[in-house]
Amino acid sequence: DTAVSQTPKYLVTQMGNDKSIKCEQNLGHDTMYWYKQDSKKFLKIMFSYNNKELIINETVPNRFSPKSPDKAHLNLHINSLELGDSAVYFCASSQWDSYEQYFGPGTRLTVT
Amino acid sequence: GQQVMQIPQYQHVQEGEDFTTYCNSSTTLSNIQWYKQRPGGHPVFLIQLVKSGEVKKQKRLTFQFGEAKKNSSLHITATQTTDVGTYFCAGPRGGSNYKLTFGKGTLLTVNP
């Protein structure tokens, strides 16, 4: 069973489009995250939710909107996609009292 | 803001040689974590160090946390081709154990 899953794995789209990435974890964790990894492999946190509540919101354009319908799911919607949004987006989860983060397989987003 | 610097950026070794990557923080850390990301894969948690001067071993991997809790190292003895990947250190930022600042990683390649 996959612990943290993301869909889709690959996403190719044109500038100006709106797209969503979904994430689900079956670990029973109460905290979930979105990270962006650029072409130079730099990994940067974007958002974090704890029990469906937003707890971390980094300096991310407001074209990015996360949503957590329940503590097992965290989705990321991106409006008006730009070339610079091309990256691999990782979802991760952890238990509130544990530091260890479990990452999903990633979604490679390519904006043309 | 807090910075986590990691060196070297790249390291190529012959199989059987040792490898070390170093991590330095601009601020004192409450803990430091290490992750490994295989090519095309996702970051996988390796270990967390909490105490000043702490040393932990996992088979051929030795992790150290500096006395001042501002630096850390990962040493691999007798590298194998399975060690290939990018090794990241990560430290909590802004008093939050869940907002991690990742180093830029060290990409290790091993020549068989």
Side-chain angles (χ1 to χ4, degrees):
Chain A
D1 282 343
T2 304
V4 182
S5 59
Q6 292 179 231
T7 53
K9 190 166 174 63
Y10 301 96
L11 188 49
V12 181
T13 188
Q14 291 184 330
M15 282 175 56
N17 284 348
D18 303 339
K19 290 294 177 186
S20 291
I21 307 172
K22 295 187 176 182
C23 177
E24 177 181 0
Q25 55 94 5
N26 63 6
L27 296 167
H29 290 164
D30 52 16
T31 307
M32 296 184 74
Y33 312 80
W34 278 112
Y35 285 87
K36 179 180 180 181
Q37 187 171 49
D38 62 24
S39 57
K40 295 184 179 179
K41 296 291 190 185
F42 185 47
L43 199 58
K44 189 174 179 186
I45 191 166
M46 300 172 69
F47 302 102
S48 178
Y49 273 75
N50 174 255
N51 278 321
K52 303 192 298 175
E53 188 177 331
L54 183 65
I55 57 171
I56 296 173
N57 185 350
E58 288 296 277
T59 311
V60 178
N62 58 15
R63 298 182 294 103
F64 290 77
S65 52
K67 268 199 184 146
S68 182
D70 56 62
K71 70 177 191 178
H73 296 84
L74 179 61
N75 304 323
L76 183 64
H77 187 77
I78 315 171
N79 288 326
S80 303
L81 279 154
E82 299 177 358
L83 293 175
D85 297 332
S86 296
V88 180
Y89 292 84
F90 286 103
C91 175
S93 72
S94 70
Q95 190 58 25
W96 183 247
D97 58 354
S98 170
Y99 304 125
E100 180 177 351
Q101 295 189 15
Y102 291 78
F103 284 76
T107 296
R108 181 172 293 277
L109 171 65
T110 304
V111 182
T112 62
Chain B
Q2 181 201 59
Q3 290 187 353
V4 176
M5 310 298 291
Q6 209 174 331
I7 56 169
Q9 193 175 354
Y10 306 97
Q11 184 78 61
H12 178 75
V13 299
Q14 288 292 125
E15 190 170 22
E17 291 181 339
D18 291 356
F19 158 77
T20 304
T21 173
Y22 301 90
C23 184
N24 290 288
S25 170
S26 57
T27 58
T28 301
L29 300 170
S30 59
N31 68 83
I32 195 158
Q33 301 177 30
W34 285 92
Y35 289 78
K36 176 185 177 181
Q37 184 177 16
R38 287 203 161 99
H42 58 276
V44 174
F45 176 84
L46 294 177
I47 208 160
Q48 178 192 278
L49 304 171
V50 179
K51 298 177 185 175
S52 169
E54 189 170 14
V55 178
K56 285 189 176 179
K57 291 192 175 188
Q58 289 179 352
K59 296 184 181 177
R60 293 177 297 103
L61 277 60
T62 302
F63 303 85
Q64 290 190 318
F65 201 10
E67 294 290 341
K69 301 182 77 171
K70 294 180 75 173
N71 57 69
S72 181
S73 65
L74 158 58
H75 179 81
I76 303 179
T77 303
T79 54
Q80 301 175 358
T81 53
T82 52
D83 296 325
V84 165
T86 302
Y87 292 85
F88 293 97
C89 62
R93 176 160 52 104
S96 166
N97 285 318
Y98 309 96
K99 188 187 291 188
L100 292 179
T101 298
F102 280 79
K104 292 194 174 180
T106 296
L107 172 61
L108 171 65
T109 54
V110 180
N111 201 26

